[in-house]
Amino acid sequence: MLNRIKEIATTLAPRLVEIRRHIHSHPELSGQEYQTAAFVAGVLSSSGLHVEEGVGKTGVIGELQGTQHSEKVLAIRTDMDALPIQERSGLEYASRIEGVMHACGHDVHSTVGLGTAMVLSQVAGELGGKVRFLFQPAEEIAQGANWMIKDGVMNHVAAVLGVHVFPSIPAGSIGIRYGALTAAADDLEIIIIGESGHGARPHEAIDAIWIASQVITALQQAISRTQNPLRPVVLSIGKINGGRAANVIADKVELLGTVRSLHPETRDKLPSWIENIVANVCNSYGAKYQVNYRQGVPSVQNDYALTQLLQSSAEEAWTSERVQVLPEPSLGAEDFSVYLEHAPGSMFRLGVGYKDRIINHPLHHPQFEVDESAIITGVVTLAYAVYKYWQLK
Ligand code: NI
């Protein structure tokens, strides 16, 4: 079966590059993936899949019925949205849309999802069970997975597999990771309310800017002294707003930040831990405060057995030299984790780096590029993993 999958994928390779370039040159922002969704639905239909559009707002699902008529489903999740970045790659198939770019490789993910569906549709007679392809919108704003799940895409799903490109792994190789792959990402807003006054007479005012600086310092120091250093927490304040004039003491400062963590127990304690520190600093100097902590996406925790399935599938397909077991998670975020609240799953990293380049630009860079030979690596790995999943059941 592996050889057949490889043969079919190799035959499809030129078409898949065309598909990827089409999606790449027509990027759409989160929640606006209308053209991409229509294009994806068209390819799925012409490969004989049962297709539903408008799932999770602008998402698409395609289903392939295997030979067993059990209710259980194996889901393959890929995302379709682009970023508000002006492309500077200089490629002939660069973005044709001003200020919008596939700089996170979601064009490759969609193509790998389509390629896997196209390959498996040709061996459906030997596929043990049902496969549901989820083409998700709005990953970059961490909303798409929720929209899809609300529309029932996880019904009867026994396991879910996902893929994300990675420029620091060379094309032809993949990275797998046992346990945590990405971090939980939460939003933080802190409002500090002091009292305005003349810049020359600070004792008659409550300086919200000075107190905000104390709050930031206290939070950063408290991470190092009160949080378990083996259970990372990253708190970054990315935006500060406050003040009216050079000689007027500010009465209000607003801080916006992101909070990253890997362990659910740590994450659960963060809102009250942050609020206590803010309260202590503000109370010391007579300021009022408000802390708004909003939980975003959880950490992606890869399932052991499904990660093993990905590893063994990739090693059989490409030899073990081309499969890296990643020693560290990333503190980036990925809403694949939301599906994992409904079924076990595993996401692998697809190497897309050019082997002969010194610099492969990182994700979200205006010159981000992928070595397109990686598409076949992704398709064969996923298609074979799906086949093996049903063989093992
Ligand atoms: Ni991404």
Side-chain angles (χ1 to χ4, degrees):
M1 180 53 76
L2 178 58
N3 284 335
R4 270 182 66 200
I5 288 174
K6 279 189 165 179
E7 266 168 44
I8 301 168
T10 309
T11 314
L12 287 172
R15 172 77 183 124
L16 292 174
V17 169
E18 253 174 49
I19 288 175
R20 187 261 158 167
R21 292 184 179 189
H22 174 82
I23 300 174
H24 187 84
S25 53
H26 300 87
E28 292 173 297
L29 292 173
S30 306
Q32 298 169 33
E33 304 86 343
Y34 302 102
Q35 306 296 326
T36 312
F39 179 77
V40 162
V43 175
L44 291 172
S45 298
S46 63
S47 303
L49 276 83
H50 174 78
V51 179
E52 262 181 72
E53 291 181 71
V55 180
K57 299 189 184 178
T58 42
V60 179
I61 62 172
E63 279 188 353
L64 208 52
Q65 185 69 56
T67 49
Q68 282 170 24
H69 284 271
S70 110
E71 286 221 300
K72 276 194 183 168
V73 176
L74 172 60
I76 304 292
R77 180 279 207 166
T78 51
D79 44 13
M80 305 189 291
D81 54 329
L83 286 158
I85 292 175
Q86 179 63 43
E87 179 159 356
R88 289 197 285 112
S89 68
L91 294 165
E92 66 189 271
Y93 55 89
S95 171
R96 294 187 195 165
I97 313 293
E98 190 68 20
V100 185
M101 176 189 178
H102 270 294
C104 197
H106 298 191
D107 52 337
V108 176
H109 306 163
S110 300
T111 307
V112 168
L114 288 173
T116 306
M118 289 156 95
V119 168
L120 290 177
S121 70
Q122 294 192 36
V123 294
E126 284 143 273
L127 202 59
K130 200 187 226 183
V131 191
R132 184 178 297 152
F133 294 88
L134 315 180
F135 291 87
Q136 182 204 304
E139 195 284 325
E140 295 292 354
I141 57 168
Q143 295 295 319
N146 280 315
W147 297 347
M148 296 287 280
I149 292 164
K150 228 178 181 177
D151 280 355
V153 305
M154 290 302 279
N155 292 348
H156 307 297
V157 169
V160 53
L161 300 177
V163 55
H164 203 293
V165 299
F166 213 50
S168 56
I169 296 175
S173 293
I174 73 157
I176 56 135
R177 164 91 188 146
Y178 288 89
L181 178 73
T182 61
D186 300 333
D187 296 326
L188 176 64
E189 181 191 45
I190 302 171
I191 297 166
I192 293 160
I193 297 153
E195 229 175 275
S196 199
H198 197 295
R201 288 189 289 278
H203 56 290
E204 293 171 1
I206 297 173
D207 184 351
I209 286 183
W210 171 66
I211 295 167
S213 71
Q214 302 282 316
V215 164
I216 295 169
T217 307
L219 285 168
Q220 297 305 346
Q221 290 181 344
I223 286 172
S224 116
R225 297 296 85 188
T226 65
Q227 294 298 314
N228 181 346
L230 297 174
R231 303 203 151 186
V233 175
V234 169
L235 188 160
S236 293
I237 298 294
K239 194 173 177 197
I240 298 188
N241 227 335
R244 295 167 197 280
N247 59 353
V248 177
I249 286 175
D251 61 346
K252 185 178 167 187
V253 170
E254 189 188 32
L255 308 173
L256 294 178
T258 183
V259 188
R260 307 293 169 111
S261 59
L262 285 179
H263 297 80
E265 324 80 71
T266 305
R267 185 189 191 204
D268 289 343
K269 291 180 193 150
L270 290 172
S272 62
W273 176 81
I274 290 170
E275 174 131 15
N276 274 335
I277 291 164
V278 175
N280 286 336
V281 174
C282 288
N283 289 338
S284 307
Y285 302 117
K288 296 194 177 74
Y289 64 89
Q290 216 179 41
V291 177
N292 300 315
Y293 191 101
R294 195 185 64 82
Q295 285 208 331
V297 297
S299 158
V300 169
Q301 299 283 336
N302 281 338
D303 175 75
Y304 189 84
L306 292 166
T307 307
Q308 236 172 6
L309 170 76
L310 286 173
Q311 181 174 9
S312 67
S313 306
E315 284 180 350
E316 282 177 56
W318 316 112
T319 74
S320 56
E321 279 86 78
R322 285 164 63 180
V323 180
Q324 304 181 10
V325 179
L326 303 171
E328 287 168 359
S330 142
L331 288 175
E334 164 60 70
D335 80 356
F336 181 69
S337 58
V338 183
Y339 299 100
L340 304 184
E341 293 179 333
H342 301 265
S346 187
M347 170 177 268
F348 68 97
R349 297 207 183 278
L350 177 64
V352 292
Y354 287 93
K355 291 180 196 83
D356 54 356
R357 288 194 189 171
I358 301 162
I359 298 173
N360 279 290
H361 292 291
L363 296 169
H364 295 209
H365 190 285
Q367 288 166 280
F368 173 68
E369 267 184 60
V370 304
D371 179 337
E372 289 171 321
S373 67
I375 294 170
I376 294 303
T377 313
V379 167
V380 171
T381 303
L382 265 179
Y384 189 49
V386 170
Y387 173 77
K388 285 208 349 167
Y389 177 84
W390 287 120
Q391 288 298 109
L392 296 168
K393 285 290 139 182

